[in-house]
Amino acid sequence: MVTLKTPRLLLRRWREEDIAPMAAVNADPEVMRWIRDGSVRDERQTRAGVRAWESEWEARGFGLFAVELRSTGELAGFTGLSVPGFLPEVLPAVEVGWRLGRSHWGRGLATEAAVAAVRFGFEERGLERLVSIVQVGNDASERIVTKLGMRPVRETANPTSGWPVRVFELSSERYAATGPRRP
């Protein structure tokens, strides 16, 4: 079972007790504003999402981690790797992504978690490239991908919402040349 530790976070697989706090994150319209069409998700949808994320772990050897605060054990949200099947034009690809509850914004936690996920993808899973897909206007996520060393490679539209998105990329070669980022 894969577990990653950062100075403030534990990135781990999902547990039953994570469903309710993750559902609370998914129910916040401000959190979901930049996700697909902006729709919030309820507990049933969150449970189905967690099942899908766990299935991706079993099928691919990577997936979305539950992000837990080491100091309190509180679930902050998720980060990790997934195949962005909703945007076929970038496939084959693995995306690094994150979603944290609003109370965890502005403290560098998403960057800290994403740095660990990128390191895992390149160093532990031997991936050749990672992408991140960010809705145009989501400046906070664009700052994170820039900190990860990613560069914009295309602008397109999310076919599920029609909203414009930017695709950022980081190759394993560039990652190796610039060295792993520290959280």
Side-chain angles (χ1 to χ4, degrees), residues 89-119:
E89 69 190 77
V90 302
L91 298 176
V94 175
E95 180 182 21
V96 60
W98 50 87
R99 183 181 312 154
L100 299 183
R102 201 179 337 173
S103 64
H104 303 292
W105 292 0
R107 298 188 287 161
L109 296 175
T111 301
E112 184 174 325
V115 165
V118 167
R119 185 178 296 121

Side-chain angles (χ1 to χ4, degrees), residues 110-153:
T111 301
E112 184 174 325
V115 165
V118 167
R119 185 178 296 121
F120 173 74
F122 287 132
E123 296 180 16
E124 301 296 323
R125 293 301 182 251
L127 298 175
E128 294 182 19
R129 90 181 166 116
L130 291 172
V131 300
S132 194
I133 301 161
V134 179
Q135 268 191 30
V136 173
N138 185 346
D139 297 335
S141 284
E142 286 208 15
R143 283 191 296 275
I144 293 168
V145 297
T146 300
K147 290 175 186 175
L148 295 174
M150 299 184 120
R151 295 181 174 165
V153 293

